[in-house]
Amino acid sequence: MTRSSVQGEDTQEGATDALERAEAVRGDGDNGVGDTEGSTESTTEDSSEDGTGGRPAGAGAAEGPRPRRRRRVLRWTAVVLAVVLAGTAGAGYLYYEHLNDNIRQDALNLGDSKVAAPTPNAAGQTPLNILVIGSDARDSEENQQLGGARETFGSTPLADVQMLVHLSADRSNMSVVSMPRDTLLEIPKCTDPDDGEVYPASEGRVMTNQSLGHGGPGCTVATWQGLTGIHIDHFVMVDFAGVVSMADAVGGVPVCVDANIHSRDDSGHGSGLKLAKGTHPVKGEQALQWLRTRYGFEDGSDLARAKAQHMYLNSMVRVLRENATLSSPNRLRRLAEEATEALTVDPGLDSVKKLYDLSNELRRVKPERITMTTMPNRYVGARVEPTEDAEQLFRLVREDIALDGRDAKKKPDAEPEPPADPAAPDDEIAVQVRNGTRTDELGTAPGRANTVTGLLVERGFAKAVADPSVLPSEDRTVIRYPSADLEGDARRVAKSLGIPASSVKRSTDVSGVTLVVGADWREGTAYKAPESDDRTPESAEALNGADDSACMHVSPAFTWS
């Protein structure tokens, strides 16, 4: 984690002067500076609302409409980016390096387990998954002033906002999955690469926001991958101060409440948000208040807060796309300063150019193809846990299926290309069979590993053996293999049992061909692949990015006249 020593107003003013001089030779073109801003937004929340720890929130804002200046500013932006990214002006290059050094970085994944990247589609394209983390860090006076009791200063930060942004392989749609900070799950063992400290796996289930304190954001990534099976390419993390500074730098975002609201109860709990009924632009600390408000929205839960965050983010995207202009070089420079200083990213996003390239990927999706969701969950006391619908949602993301239901109807899976290494004779293929039929509602179906092993032996796989020592849990029957030289063997086993080729997966979690009998094959000797239900669960409370009519319901106990 480094920050530049290249400081000083003279350097920055020199950079701006150089960029202003370049305006004289500007050209036409829409470079979408607004979407560049959008790619660096994140979320955070207040951990002081109820004294129990951090609370989710988010970040981001946008410049209001200036239609008569739009083409001029967009042309100017093209020159700014050309000068900064190419470094053709000395001061511009120094300032670009200064911005790069503002950006903090941390390791992407601190866990031991890895999730394989998705297979490219027919056009060679792959999805992109970015985990957005809002930290409640109290490690500076500025952050302390934005919420939190004095005793929390310098305490272990919490990942109180966690949103997975999934960009489809063909860049036609985007899905966002928000996980409530109160979600109970197991945090895996994580190792801090800076000092080698090992954080053991949690003993049982704990709140997901604790993952950030197990070595950094890379442990939050490892936790998500362990829960969802989704390969995460990048993370972006921001804290309280970053939310306010970036919102101040670029303007306001319209939000709506259906009644007057003041988020403060008799005991002083609440974000302090005070708005009159209707739609209002919020920025700075008021934007932060909106994003961390729990008391006053609907039932006062973290789920209502996540809904408010989704509305804010949808509105921000619309404003950025429609009115993505900055009225002066100084405002653009300020945004660049605030954004880069606010972020912690993985090494794959550690420069202005990489962040800009990411924003170009994100900006290709129209708002009507953006879907915001909350991980389906149920209460466990005062906390929540994922439900079966959550796994359905994770599967849709894993398989790159649009959550808005507007994907073209998929053709039947084509027969995959033959493996480079063909299968060995059936009687020489070693297969381990495991019983993974356990579900949240049903216990393990007895004897399934032995039954399927018997089927394989009958069909000539003499080296098939049941492994009773491992009882995993799999919704669907799957065959895993560890390396390319065993792919042919794994496919041969699948074909002999009528298991589709799509259920044959490469994985470093196994040492040989391993068949896990899933909950879809709890009985019988003939496997029948279940029909896929590719609909987004209603319990995910999907919100379309083009929906500008959403308005938060205010609890009567938190209204005023």
Side-chain angles (χ1 to χ4, degrees):
M1 300 181 185
T2 61
R3 287 188 178 274
S4 173
S5 60
V6 184
Q7 303 287 346
E9 193 65 22
D10 291 341
T11 300
Q12 296 179 18
E13 289 180 356
T16 302
D17 291 342
L19 300 178
E20 288 174 323
R21 288 195 298 272
E23 184 179 359
V25 294
R26 68 181 180 267
D28 290 330
D30 184 345
N31 281 269
V33 64
D35 290 280
T36 303
E37 296 156 19
S39 73
T40 60
E41 303 296 351
S42 184
T43 48
T44 186
E45 75 179 38
D46 177 20
S47 69
S48 67
E49 274 194 49
D50 59 3
T52 62
R55 298 292 182 194
E63 179 67 12
R66 299 177 186 269
R68 287 179 296 179
R69 294 183 56 96
R70 183 175 185 185
R71 288 182 60 80
R72 178 175 181 272
V73 174
L74 287 174
R75 289 196 299 267
W76 184 89
T77 299
V79 177
V80 169
L81 292 170
V83 172
V84 171
L85 295 180
T88 56
Y93 176 75
L94 289 176
Y95 189 50
Y96 170 63
E97 289 300 304
H98 161 68
L99 293 178
N100 282 342
D101 287 340
N102 278 348
I103 302 169
R104 291 166 290 185
Q105 62 173 296
D106 215 325
L108 175 62
N109 183 3
L110 304 186
D112 292 338
S113 297
K114 311 297 180 186
V115 174
T119 303
N121 62 16
Q125 303 165 308
T126 55
L128 193 62
N129 296 307
I130 306 114
L131 186 63
V132 178
I133 303 170
S135 164
D136 79 334
R138 309 295 188 189
D139 53 0
S140 69
E141 292 294 340
E142 186 178 9
N143 273 322
Q144 183 70 12
Q145 292 171 4
L146 293 171
R150 291 183 179 179
E151 61 269 17
T152 67
F153 185 83
S155 61
T156 302
L158 300 170
D160 276 344
V161 173
Q162 300 174 36
M163 292 184 176
L164 180 68
V165 177
H166 171 83
L167 185 60
S168 66
D170 63 5
R171 305 306 190 249
S172 68
N173 65 88
M174 185 189 305
S175 304
V176 179
V177 179
S178 176
M179 184 187 297
R181 65 125 196 169
D182 286 343
T183 301
L184 295 176
L185 46 67
E186 295 180 358
I187 298 175
K189 183 184 79 170
C190 292
T191 303
D192 189 330
D194 292 334
D195 56 16
E197 182 174 356
V198 175
Y199 295 82
S202 61
E203 296 183 5
R205 300 191 302 175
V206 298
M207 284 173 56
T208 182
N209 63 352
Q210 296 180 24
S211 60
L212 188 59
H214 290 226
C219 195
T220 305
V221 168
T223 302
W224 265 82
Q225 290 194 156
L227 175 68
T228 67
I230 297 169
H231 174 80
I232 294 177
D233 300 281
H234 300 291
F235 74 78
V236 175
M237 183 172 72
V238 70
D239 60 15
F240 284 167
V243 173
V244 172
S245 62
M246 285 192 292
D248 284 345
V250 297
V253 172
V255 297
C256 177
V257 287
D258 67 359
N260 299 340
I261 182 174
H262 186 200
S263 178
R264 188 75 72 195
D265 66 9
D266 293 339
S267 301
H269 296 146
S271 70
L273 176 71
K274 189 171 185 179
L275 286 176
K277 177 181 178 180
T279 300
H280 310 273
V282 294
K283 61 181 180 178
E285 189 167 356
Q286 193 175 46
L288 177 64
Q289 289 175 333
W290 174 274
L291 292 161
R292 63 183 173 86
T293 292
R294 181 165 69 86
Y295 290 97
F297 283 157
E298 300 190 349
D299 62 356
S301 69
D302 280 327
L303 307 180
R305 175 160 35 199
K307 186 175 180 180
Q309 292 167 3
H310 292 166
M311 290 183 183
Y312 179 97
L313 292 173
N314 276 351
S315 181
M316 180 186 71
V317 169
R318 288 193 299 272
V319 170
L320 288 173
R321 295 184 68 94
E322 295 168 6
N323 309 297
T325 63
L326 290 177
S327 58
S328 72
N330 282 335
R331 294 198 72 182
L332 180 61
R333 188 187 69 186
R334 183 183 176 194
L335 172 63
E337 283 287 340
E338 302 293 1
T340 54
E341 288 184 354
L343 297 178
T344 300
V345 299
D346 66 276
L349 293 177
D350 64 352
S351 73
V352 173
K353 183 180 186 305
K354 291 176 182 177
L355 289 169
Y356 177 67
D357 288 344
L358 173 62
S359 76
N360 273 341
E361 293 286 285
L362 297 172
R363 74 185 294 269
R364 294 168 64 179
V365 182
K366 296 179 180 179
E368 56 265 27
R369 295 303 313 276
I370 298 173
T371 306
M372 301 275 190
T373 64
T374 298
M375 180 197 76
N377 59 81
R378 56 174 162 251
Y379 279 103
V380 180
R383 310 302 181 199
V384 299
E385 65 181 5
T387 63
E388 298 74 26
D389 282 354
E391 173 51 33
Q392 165 78 347
L393 189 65
F394 298 152
R395 181 184 68 80
L396 296 178
V397 174
R398 285 196 303 268
E399 297 180 6
D400 197 25
I401 297 171
L403 299 186
D404 60 8
R406 292 175 56 187
D407 270 347
K409 189 172 182 180
K410 293 192 173 183
K411 298 178 181 178
D413 291 338
E415 188 69 23
E417 292 291 328
D421 194 340
D426 291 355
D427 61 358
E428 295 181 11
I429 298 176
V431 188
Q432 278 196 344
V433 183
R434 295 172 178 172
N435 187 344
T437 56
R438 175 175 53 86
T439 69
D440 289 340
E441 290 78 28
L442 300 172
T444 300
R448 295 304 295 160
N450 288 328
T451 297
V452 175
T453 299
L455 287 174
L456 286 170
V457 172
E458 288 176 6
R459 296 176 189 186
F461 294 87
K463 292 187 176 181
V465 295
D467 179 6
S469 66
V470 180
L471 293 176
S473 178
E474 294 283 351
D475 287 337
R476 297 192 178 194
T477 298
V478 63
I479 298 175
R480 298 188 174 97
Y481 62 95
S483 55
D485 61 310
L486 292 177
E487 181 181 2
D489 293 356
R491 286 202 204 173
R492 174 61 192 143
V493 171
K495 187 173 183 178
S496 71
L497 293 173
I499 297 170
S502 59
S503 295
V504 179
K505 310 285 186 182
R506 184 169 177 172
S507 172
T508 55
D509 291 337
V510 296
S511 57
V513 177
T514 304
L515 189 162
V516 182
V517 184
D520 59 347
W521 198 10
R522 291 179 60 88
E523 58 186 19
T525 57
Y527 179 74
K528 183 178 179 181
E531 293 184 5
S532 293
D533 180 1
D534 293 342
R535 294 172 298 178
T536 300
E538 291 186 8
S539 56
E541 298 187 339
L543 178 66
N544 186 272
D547 184 357
D548 60 1
S549 64
C551 205
M552 285 303 297
H553 174 64
V554 176
S555 168
F558 290 87
T559 192
W560 52 275
S561 57

